[in-house]
């Protein structure tokens, strides 16, 4: 039914109900004898007019009554009550009396008939229009408001293949009750029993506010049943409206390994980003693109996306233009190894803040190509930092890695030297230079999770280097938020580190992925291949002589600064083209691990 037709139909129905209510009530109270007095006629006209005004005010003609709930009933009560009170006032004003019993009865009949006419559509739809086809027998974990919404949507969705059977909830006071005509069987600890008894074929975890620990526990219980398990979107996605309750998603290993997010100092971040020109290098990468998304939330004057790969820059540019159409965006396709181009861009754009995310990060690849790690991570960083200094940038935030601590790989060593370059630049520049150091990022390009997922997709096996290898993990959004927060805390020269909790064994990560994919280790095996060149068994976030116990922000630490051997760094850059690869590799490792005796040392303590 079209909107105009629907509106006309509702107006006609309501008009009939209003006039029927007042005249029938008057008829009843006059013992069956009609009494078309002047006061009754005037009252009926006033009641009708005010009702339609209130119906417009409370949007009774715009509501989707097939989804009617308490709020719709409250709107009806407000509209009817105001209509009756207005009629009463007109009677007193013009007739110096009011028909008490008639108006009270009219109010009751009015509410019943208006409410009944609306709710009957929902009853009809729920009873006759909902798809009656049998679907997968679905168990809902969580009998709260989210679980109730899930069941309501599943019952109303004619296209769904899921049929809700009942709830599980660890709140024992709900056990044995019925919600949305479905029973609450019991708690999650007995899920295996309920799955078997009720022949469950699908499970939905409907508790979006669960913390990581409880989610991990419930997911393990659910996946141990070998039944496909899905969950609701995160609470922040529901609140922002980016996802709907009905958009169930498979449980990702990121949901289990990611820590509880650090709360941001929104005002502090907004203070140095809002209304300013922000430039992000490596803007098309996993971290760089997420930094762009986070920066965009704080209404910068302009966001400059700088990257070497045109396809990745185009992708993030189109995403931001679609999601935040009012954001001023521009792009620069450039290589940070091109010193002249960096100077030209900085002079042209004059950014207030630079987030430097461009880097080579793959350990085995950089072991085989150490010259590329030096050119990009050291020389490239130096180019961008010096260009920022000349352009008068206020704050420069570099993305570093936990592999920069006591590095055994070329990649880690070049990132540590890049930190030294930043600390040196902070000493000689008016720009505030800082670095942010964190561990492995879940789901980023080249990380183990996409690799493991691809291996599972191909039927296995999953390859793990060593059964005891451990790594720290964090999510891409969390890493990016830390970068933004670090910029607001920067005084100059710091290396900020996030407290990332306990490290995770890579083999446990592989086992979780196998389980979440619906397989057993008999179906998808794990093969140990041995450690690769440059890899460490355990990663560190701070060296022993860098530890600073004081938090500068909840979950954020500032590492104690060490001596910067900039003379040796400069010598490597000057002699770069004449050095063979083995010498180059050993030189960067020696400088990063402070094994060189330089002619001059800058003390930053």
């Amino acid at each position: 039914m079209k909107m105009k037709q629907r509106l006309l139909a509702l107006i006609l129905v309501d008009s009939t109900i209003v006039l029927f209510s007042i005249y029938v009530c008057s008829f009843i109270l006059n013992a069956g004898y009609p009494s078309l007095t002047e006061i009754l006629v005037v009252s009926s006209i006033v009641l009708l007019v005010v009702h339609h005004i209130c119906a417009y005010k409370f949007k009774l003609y715009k509501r989707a009554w097939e989804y009617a709930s308490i709020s719709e009933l409250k709107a009806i009560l407000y509209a009817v009550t105001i209509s009756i009170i207005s009629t009463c006032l007109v009677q007193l004003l013009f007739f110096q009396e009011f028909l008490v019993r008639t108006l009270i009865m009219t109010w009751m009949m009015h509410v019943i008939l208006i409410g009944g006419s609306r709710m009957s559509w929902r009853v009809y739809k729920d009873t006759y229009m909902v798809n009656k086809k049998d679907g997968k027998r679905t168990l809902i974990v969580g009998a709260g408001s989210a679980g109730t919404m899930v069941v309501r949507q599943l019952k109303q969705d004619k296209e769904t293949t899921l049929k809700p059977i009942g709830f599980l909830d660890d709140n024992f006071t709900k056990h044995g009750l019925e919600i949305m005509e479905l029973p609450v069987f019991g708690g999650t600890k007995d899920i295996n029993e309920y799955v078997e008894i009720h022949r469950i074929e699908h499970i939905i975890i409907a508790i979006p506010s669960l913390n990581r620990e409880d989610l991990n526990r419930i997911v393990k219980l659910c996946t141990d049943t070998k039944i496909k398990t899905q969950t609701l979107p995160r609470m922040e996605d529901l609140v922002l409206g980016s996802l709907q309750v009905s958009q169930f998603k498979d449980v990702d290993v990121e949901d289990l390994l990611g820590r509880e997010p650090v709360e941001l100092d929104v005002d502090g971040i907004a203070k140095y980003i809002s209304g300013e020109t922000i430039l992000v290098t490596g803007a098309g990468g996993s971290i760089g693109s997420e930094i762009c998304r986070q920066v965009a939330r704080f209404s910068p004057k302009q966001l400059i996306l700088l990257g070497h790969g045109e396809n990745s820059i185009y992708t993030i540019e189109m995403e931001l233009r679609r999601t935040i159409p009012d954001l001023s965006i521009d792009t620069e396709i450039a290589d940070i190894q091109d010193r002249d181009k960096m100077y030209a861009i900085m002079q042209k754009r004059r950014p207030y803040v630079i987030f430097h995310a461009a880097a080579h990060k793959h350990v085995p690849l950089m072991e085989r190509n150490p010259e590329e790690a030096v050119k990009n991570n050291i020389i490239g960083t130096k180019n961008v930092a010096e260009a920022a200094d000349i352009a008068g940038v206020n704050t420069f935030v570099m993305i570093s890695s936990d592999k920069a601590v006591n590095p055994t790989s070329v990649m880690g060593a070049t990132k540590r030297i890049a930190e030294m370059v930043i600390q040196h630049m902070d000493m000689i520049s008016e720009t505030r230079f800082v670095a942010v150091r964190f561990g492995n990022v879940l789901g980023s390009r080249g990380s183990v999770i996409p690799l493991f997922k691809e291996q599972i997709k191909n039927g296995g096996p999953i390859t793990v280097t060593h059964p005891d290898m451990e790594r720290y993990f964090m999510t891409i959004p969390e890493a990016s938020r830390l970068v933004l927060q670090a910029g607001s805390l920067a005084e100059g020269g710091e290396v900020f580190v996030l407290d990332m909790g306990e490290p995770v064994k890579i083999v446990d990560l592989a086992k979780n992925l196998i389980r979440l994919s619906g397989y057993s280790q008999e179906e998808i095996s794990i093969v140990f291949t041995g450690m690769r060149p440059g890899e460490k068994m355990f990663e560190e976030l701070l060296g022993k002589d860098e530890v600073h116990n004081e938090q500068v922000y909840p979950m954020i630490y500032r590492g104690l600064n060490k001596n910067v051997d900039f003379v040796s760094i400069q010598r490597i850059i000057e002699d770069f083209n004449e050095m063979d690869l083995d010498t180059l590799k050993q030189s960067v490792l020696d400088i990063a691990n402070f094994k060189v005796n330089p002619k001059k040392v800058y003390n930053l303590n």
Side-chain angles (χ1 to χ4, degrees), residues 138-144 146-147 150-151 166-170 186-188 191 195 202-208 210 217-219 221-222 229-232:
T138 302
L139 183 65
I140 311 298
V141 178
V150 167
V151 170
F167 295 92
L168 290 185
D169 199 293
D170 288 330
T188 55
I191 189 170
V195 165
H202 197 96
I203 299 172
I204 295 174
I205 301 173
I207 318 175
L210 269 180
R217 176 182 62 82
I218 291 176
V219 166
L221 289 170
C222 292
T229 299
Q230 291 185 301
T231 185
L232 290 185

Side-chain angles (χ1 to χ4, degrees), residues 148 163 185 211 277 284 300 391 393 399 404 430 473 521 529 540 595:
T148 303
K163 179 182 179 182
F185 297 129
N211 60 44
T277 298
V393 171
I399 314 305
E430 294 297 319
F473 285 99
Q521 284 185 245
T529 58
E540 306 162 272
K595 294 182 178 179

Side-chain angles (χ1 to χ4, degrees), residues 463-512:
T463 56
V464 178
T465 54
H466 193 282
D468 295 326
M469 183 168 285
E470 293 182 344
R471 291 291 182 268
Y472 291 100
F473 285 99
M474 66 193 310
T475 64
I476 294 175
E478 184 179 16
S480 303
R481 290 168 189 155
L482 170 64
V483 172
L484 266 62
Q485 190 68 70
S488 71
L489 300 171
E491 295 178 0
E494 301 98 336
V495 175
F496 291 106
V497 181
L498 179 66
D499 180 357
M500 299 185 65
E502 296 300 318
V504 176
K505 279 193 173 184
I506 302 299
V507 69
D508 291 339
L509 182 63
K511 290 176 182 177
N512 271 329

Side-chain angles (χ1 to χ4, degrees), residues 46-47 50-51 54 78-88 110:
V46 172
L47 186 63
V50 177
H51 170 83
C54 290
Y78 291 147
V80 173
T81 302
I82 292 172
S83 301
I84 294 295
I85 292 173
S86 299
T87 304
C88 176
H110 200 164

Side-chain angles (χ1 to χ4, degrees), residues 82-149:
I82 292 172
S83 301
I84 294 295
I85 292 173
S86 299
T87 304
C88 176
L89 293 174
V90 169
Q91 289 179 354
L92 284 172
L93 183 62
F94 290 99
F95 299 98
Q96 285 75 50
E97 65 171 314
F98 64 96
L99 308 176
V100 180
R101 293 189 300 164
T102 300
L103 292 179
I104 291 174
M105 283 190 64
T106 301
W107 180 87
M108 290 189 291
M109 186 174 289
H110 200 164
V111 169
I112 291 170
L113 292 179
I114 294 290
S117 68
R118 302 306 199 267
M119 297 303 292
S120 61
W121 174 243
R122 175 172 173 177
V123 172
Y124 172 77
K125 184 171 182 181
D126 287 349
T127 306
Y128 298 104
M129 295 180 66
V130 174
N131 184 18
K132 296 298 182 181
K133 181 177 66 177
D134 285 340
K136 292 183 179 179
R137 297 173 64 84
T138 302
L139 183 65
I140 311 298
V141 178
S145 57
T148 303
M149 285 190 288

Side-chain angles (χ1 to χ4, degrees), residues 172-188:
F172 70 91
T173 62
K174 295 181 180 180
H175 297 175
L177 300 179
E178 284 199 357
I179 299 174
M180 297 289 294
E181 300 180 349
L182 296 179
V184 181
F185 297 129
T188 55

Side-chain angles (χ1 to χ4, degrees), residues 201-436:
E201 301 171 278
H202 197 96
I203 299 172
I204 295 174
I205 301 173
I207 318 175
S209 59
L210 269 180
N211 60 44
R212 305 284 182 184
E213 184 179 350
D214 288 336
L215 176 63
N216 205 338
R217 176 182 62 82
I218 291 176
V219 166
K220 187 176 188 309
L221 289 170
C222 292
T223 52
D224 282 347
T225 65
K226 309 299 182 187
I227 302 298
K228 182 174 177 61
T229 299
Q230 291 185 301
T231 185
L232 290 185
R234 296 173 302 168
M235 182 61 75
E236 62 188 272
D237 291 327
L238 294 176
V239 171
L240 292 172
S242 56
L243 290 170
Q244 302 299 317
V245 174
S246 58
Q247 292 179 273
F248 313 122
K249 69 183 191 73
D250 293 338
V251 181
D252 293 323
V253 72
E254 288 93 333
D255 296 325
L256 307 182
L257 292 180
R259 304 182 308 104
E260 292 304 306
V262 176
E263 293 295 327
L264 294 180
D265 174 13
V266 175
D267 293 337
I269 294 173
K271 189 174 180 180
Y272 83 104
I273 289 180
S274 298
E276 303 290 352
T277 298
I278 311 298
L279 186 145
V280 181
T281 71
S286 303
I287 297 297
S289 60
E290 183 62 27
I291 289 175
C292 292
R293 296 183 190 99
Q294 299 286 343
V295 166
R297 295 172 52 201
F298 292 93
S299 304
K301 176 183 177 182
Q302 188 175 39
L303 178 57
I304 310 299
L305 315 178
L306 188 152
H308 192 213
E310 59 175 319
N311 290 331
S312 58
I313 292 295
Y314 175 80
T315 299
I316 184 62
E317 179 190 8
M318 290 301 102
E319 177 190 327
L320 292 174
R321 291 193 186 281
R322 183 182 70 253
T323 56
I324 313 176
D326 295 334
L327 178 66
S328 175
I329 307 172
D330 210 344
T331 60
E332 293 282 359
I333 304 301
D335 190 337
I336 61 172
Q337 298 175 35
D338 186 339
R339 180 182 179 85
D340 293 338
K341 185 67 178 287
M342 290 302 104
Y343 273 71
I345 290 173
M346 297 306 166
Q347 291 298 320
K348 172 186 173 184
R349 298 297 186 177
R350 296 284 178 174
Y352 186 75
V353 179
I354 293 176
F355 294 103
H356 178 48
H360 285 327
K361 61 181 181 179
H362 298 284
V363 172
L365 287 178
M366 294 305 101
E367 287 299 305
R368 297 193 293 270
N369 301 275
E371 75 283 6
E372 295 303 319
V374 172
K375 285 194 294 184
N376 211 56
N377 294 356
I378 300 176
I379 299 175
T381 296
K382 184 171 179 288
N383 290 341
V384 180
E386 290 178 343
D389 169 45
I390 297 298
V393 171
N394 180 271
T395 305
F396 184 106
V397 183
M398 176 197 133
I399 314 305
S400 189
S401 165
D402 58 354
K403 293 175 177 60
V405 182
N406 299 323
T408 58
S409 66
V410 170
M411 194 284 281
T414 56
K415 292 298 285 183
R416 180 67 189 101
I417 294 174
E419 290 180 358
M420 294 179 184
V421 169
I422 293 304
Q423 291 175 314
H424 167 75
M425 288 300 302
D426 187 73
M427 293 181 58
I428 63 175
S429 172
E430 294 297 319
T431 299
R432 293 182 298 175
F433 286 89
V434 298
V436 184

